[in-house]
Amino acid sequence: MEKQQNVLQVSGLNVAVKSQKGVLPLVQNLNLELKPGKILGLVGESGSGKTITCMSLLQLLNQKAMHIEGSIQLHGRELNGLKEKEMRCIRGKEIGFIMQNPMNAFTPVYTIGNQFVETIRIHTELTKKQAVDLAIASLEKMNLQNPAKIMKMYPFQLSGGMLQRVMIAISMCLRPAVVIADEPTTALDVATQLQVLKELDRLRTECGTSVLLISHDLGVISELADEVAVMQNGRIVEKADVYRLFDFPQHEYTKKLLQARPVLPVNEELSKLVI
Amino acid sequence: MSLLEVKEVTHSYGSSRSFWRSAKEEHVLSDVSLSIEQGSCMGLLGTSGAGKSTLGKVILGLEKPQKGKVIFQGQDLYTMDALTRKRIRRDLQVVFQDSYSSVNPRLTAEKIIGEPLENYEKLSPAEQKRTIADLLDMVGLDAEDMKKYPRQFSGGQLQRISIARAIALKPKMIVLDESVSSLDMVNQTNILNLLNELKSVYGLSYLFITHDIRAAYSISDSLTVMEKGKIIEVCNDKNEVFTSQHPTVKKLVASILPEHPRNRTISRGKSRA
């Protein structure tokens, strides 16, 4: 019964790359579960295997060069080893993906509208007009002004923050069960960053989507996550409730991460106000 | 006298006039003035598109402003003769955000750091090698890393090499344009600590350009906030930024991410418990 409640259940995930020198493990014995409407934060320094983990959840890694073992279950359905054709129905429809760099996530030769409608029509039976309406409605929800105009624009005409919100709109408009957000705000400036985080939070309260939030910034994690998993060298070294992790870190590496936070007087003042 | 003085600098891009349209002037910088003292660090804050990087380029002498003066060590950067310029170049260094594109991929770390030394110092090969090894040691890298190429380093390590190159000639001032923004938190803190240390050892001055108040606060003595090409707030004491009344500064301060989940601003049932 316990297992049924999890939207996404990853158990015993091992990813290794085959190289000339032999097999090099990237992710080792990784267990994760995403509960409905919850945000799981995944932290770790660069090169600790965060991105590889989410690429393997979506089966986006090159199967010939990589070795993926273990079970990835979405609503009890095994994803590891699914055929490419079946996987395509899941990507975008059931698992949304928000990439780190919005500039590289779009094709520069098609308009935003073209790419948006394509995603919608592949997964639904909507007519072109209905798809356009849905796209405009979801852009509007993302606080983007004049969505009809944005639909006719090309990716390079929008700023990074706007594109990132367009990408969230695309990944959320089909109400996926899970959204994987890989460093969604790293490329953005601070004011836009908070706005994007707010949108993510709003969508998960409205649609009940579970989010796997990957970041190296503990600020992002403490703002949004319910649970946190800390990764180091391809392993999860600690997993706890976000409050517990910040108050009582267990693992050496977590303590080191927490110490690396810049300390501002404003945070202390704020905490005084709250308490 | 201040080390660097920027006086009423105005600059704009793309003012191309043609037969069909009159020149459309959109100022990237309008009437910007600031001064930096020897041995102090000024944090330059602002959202993207505020003109921070353009100001950085103007200060480095890379972008001639349309109006105004940049005075470094009592000399105007844009009217000085070539010889003075060459002399002053060694005292004014830069570290950019993207470390991979600011180094030549075909040179080893030794050559990268050795380039400014070859231009200015005229050391014997053995001395130069020793200097480079010392510099690498100072930024926390191994002397053996000398033989490696940029692609063999991680982003954080390469950023350290850029810093080693910048401090090779013991300059008076370094412009740090988003130098730590692309690094992860642990690397960021390491590099900020390193910069702080170098500042106290050599009496370096920094212009620290960033959008992240957290990083700027931990290294700067004073903070300056820009918006749309204008300086909107100058805080000689960095703590003043938190009590500023300017709406844009308030917004910047409000979007600082919390260091603990109990301070989260996105309100939810469970938060603020």
Side-chain angles (χ1 to χ4, degrees):
Chain A
M1 196 60 216
E2 187 65 24
K3 272 195 174 174
Q4 289 291 310
Q5 284 178 353
N6 294 333
V7 182
L8 189 73
Q9 173 92 36
V10 180
S11 36
L13 183 72
N14 281 297
V15 182
V17 64
K18 296 171 207 158
S19 68
Q20 287 163 340
K21 287 178 191 162
V23 181
L24 185 74
L26 298 178
V27 174
Q28 291 173 37
N29 195 20
L30 182 125
N31 299 301
L32 282 178
E33 51 276 331
L34 264 177
K35 297 185 182 71
K38 294 282 179 195
I39 295 181
L40 175 70
L42 192 58
V43 280
E45 61 192 345
S46 31
S48 60
K50 307 187 295 280
T51 302
I52 289 291
T53 304
C54 69
M55 299 275 270
S56 57
L57 296 187
L58 283 164
Q59 304 278 300
L60 282 172
L61 295 169
N62 184 352
Q63 304 274 355
K64 280 176 190 147
M66 302 281 202
H67 222 24
I68 307 175
E69 275 170 18
S71 122
I72 304 162
Q73 289 187 339
L74 180 77
H75 290 303
R77 185 177 174 201
E78 181 60 49
L79 296 188
N80 195 8
L82 266 192
K83 288 206 182 72
E84 180 63 20
K85 212 172 161 187
E86 293 170 287
M87 206 52 221
R88 279 193 174 188
C89 300
I90 289 171
R91 288 185 206 131
K93 175 97 175 75
E94 305 197 26
I95 303 181
F97 192 29
I98 300 167
M99 274 173 254
Q100 177 169 11
N101 192 340
M103 297 291 183
N104 297 343
F106 290 89
T107 322
V109 291
Y110 292 112
T111 58
I112 298 286
N114 201 318
Q115 299 180 48
F116 209 134
V117 168
E118 181 195 4
T119 312
I120 296 174
R121 292 197 67 197
I122 279 175
H123 294 297
T124 60
E125 305 275 290
L126 296 181
T127 63
K128 204 167 175 183
K129 183 148 189 319
Q130 286 170 318
V132 170
D133 290 342
L134 176 63
I136 289 181
S138 28
L139 285 176
E140 218 158 40
K141 265 197 220 154
M142 213 45 68
N143 274 333
L144 284 162
Q145 269 132 39
N146 207 345
K149 198 174 155 201
I150 289 177
M151 294 285 282
K152 291 202 178 71
M153 283 162 107
Y154 288 90
F156 51 82
Q157 291 174 300
L158 299 172
S159 74
M162 287 165 93
L163 265 186
Q164 193 64 282
R165 278 182 277 162
V166 171
M167 188 145 73
I168 297 180
I170 293 180
S171 58
M172 299 301 297
C173 75
L174 294 169
R175 306 262 165 124
V178 179
V179 165
I180 298 176
D182 186 4
E183 307 258 7
T185 60
T186 309
L188 307 177
D189 77 49
V190 273
T192 331
Q193 169 167 294
L194 195 69
Q195 217 173 353
V196 166
L197 293 181
K198 272 184 187 154
E199 295 306 332
L200 270 177
D201 184 61
R202 201 172 57 87
L203 286 160
R204 76 89 175 252
T205 33
E206 278 175 20
C207 312
T209 308
S210 322
V211 182
L212 178 61
L213 179 69
I214 297 168
S215 185
H216 66 250
D217 190 338
L218 280 171
V220 173
I221 297 295
S222 57
E223 184 73 63
L224 218 54
D226 301 302
E227 258 193 289
V228 189
V230 183
M231 257 186 115
Q232 187 193 22
N233 298 335
R235 292 167 194 273
I236 289 187
V237 293
E238 187 168 357
K239 197 156 56 168
D241 178 80
V242 66
Y243 288 88
R244 269 222 13 227
L245 187 99
F246 275 78
D247 286 331
F248 311 105
Q250 299 296 317
H251 196 271
E252 275 312 307
Y253 180 66
T254 317
K255 287 176 193 164
K256 196 177 128 199
L257 270 182
L258 286 169
Q259 268 166 16
R261 285 175 300 167
V263 179
L264 290 179
V266 68
N267 282 332
E268 281 154 29
E269 273 167 39
L270 268 178
S271 58
K272 271 178 216 151
L273 283 176
V274 172
I275 298 165
Chain B
M1 191 187 68
S2 312
L3 178 70
L4 175 100
E5 264 182 273
V6 178
K7 284 185 180 167
E8 289 152 18
V9 162
T10 299
H11 193 61
S12 62
Y13 290 119
S15 58
S16 58
R17 208 177 331 191
S18 83
F19 183 73
W20 289 279
R21 55 165 198 269
S22 57
K24 206 171 76 184
E25 292 274 303
E26 219 175 285
H27 290 307
V28 182
L29 295 175
S30 47
D31 233 0
V32 173
S33 302
L34 54 86
S35 66
I36 299 175
E37 304 294 325
Q38 176 81 50
S40 74
C41 172
M42 177 185 273
L44 187 61
L45 289 164
T47 55
S48 31
K52 309 184 296 287
S53 291
T54 307
L55 183 59
K57 280 185 190 163
V58 166
I59 287 172
L60 285 166
L62 299 174
E63 187 92 42
K64 192 175 189 313
Q66 286 160 341
K67 268 183 231 153
K69 279 184 192 162
V70 183
I71 295 171
F72 184 71
Q73 293 182 321
Q75 304 258 13
D76 189 325
L77 264 187
Y78 290 95
T79 55
M80 63 177 62
D81 55 88
L83 245 152
T84 332
R85 176 178 274 261
K86 195 183 171 197
R87 209 186 64 227
I88 275 191
R89 263 267 152 265
R90 67 176 293 168
D91 288 334
L92 190 56
Q93 297 285 338
V94 62
V95 180
F96 288 110
Q97 170 171 17
D98 186 356
S99 48
Y100 281 101
S101 58
S102 55
V103 294
N104 186 339
R106 292 178 178 226
L107 298 183
T108 57
E110 183 183 0
K111 288 264 172 57
I112 291 168
I113 302 173
E115 232 179 337
L117 292 172
E118 270 164 31
N119 287 339
Y120 283 98
E121 292 282 6
K122 304 277 179 297
L123 297 172
S124 71
E127 270 179 327
Q128 176 155 333
K129 202 156 198 169
R130 210 174 48 235
T131 318
I132 294 170
D134 287 347
L135 284 165
L136 281 173
D137 181 54
M138 206 179 289
V139 295
L141 292 172
D142 232 22
E144 281 167 23
D145 291 331
M146 228 187 256
K147 293 276 166 272
K148 287 190 189 167
Y149 287 90
R151 62 188 152 78
Q152 290 170 292
F153 291 107
S154 73
Q157 287 173 324
L158 209 53
Q159 199 62 279
R160 281 157 188 267
I161 287 178
S162 304
I163 291 174
R165 177 176 61 180
I167 59 171
L169 295 171
K170 305 199 172 53
K172 299 261 173 10
M173 179 166 170
I174 305 181
V175 175
L176 301 156
D177 190 353
E178 301 274 11
S179 303
V180 297
S181 309
S182 58
L183 306 176
D184 70 46
M185 290 284 242
V186 177
N187 272 324
Q188 225 178 68
T189 316
N190 286 345
I191 290 211
L192 289 177
N193 289 344
L194 168 70
L195 288 170
N196 259 331
E197 213 178 288
L198 293 171
K199 187 174 124 191
S200 53
V201 174
Y202 292 120
L204 280 173
S205 314
Y206 299 127
L207 177 70
F208 191 81
I209 302 175
T210 184
H211 63 250
D212 188 354
I213 297 191
R214 294 178 297 174
Y217 182 85
S218 59
I219 185 168
S220 308
D221 303 306
S222 61
L223 290 172
T224 302
V225 188
M226 279 184 82
E227 190 195 19
K228 290 180 186 156
K230 290 196 179 74
I231 289 182
I232 52 168
E233 185 80 87
V234 179
C235 308
N236 290 323
D237 176 2
K238 59 183 171 183
N239 288 310
E240 285 170 27
V241 78
F242 301 114
T243 50
S244 166
Q245 292 306 311
H246 196 286
T248 312
V249 184
K250 272 186 166 171
K251 199 177 155 201
L252 265 180
V253 172
S255 44
I256 298 175
L257 290 172
E259 58 171 313
H260 193 282
R262 78 172 94 86
N263 300 336
R264 49 175 69 169
T265 47
I266 298 175
S267 60
R268 280 217 318 276
K270 205 184 163 191
S271 63
R272 314 220 160 182

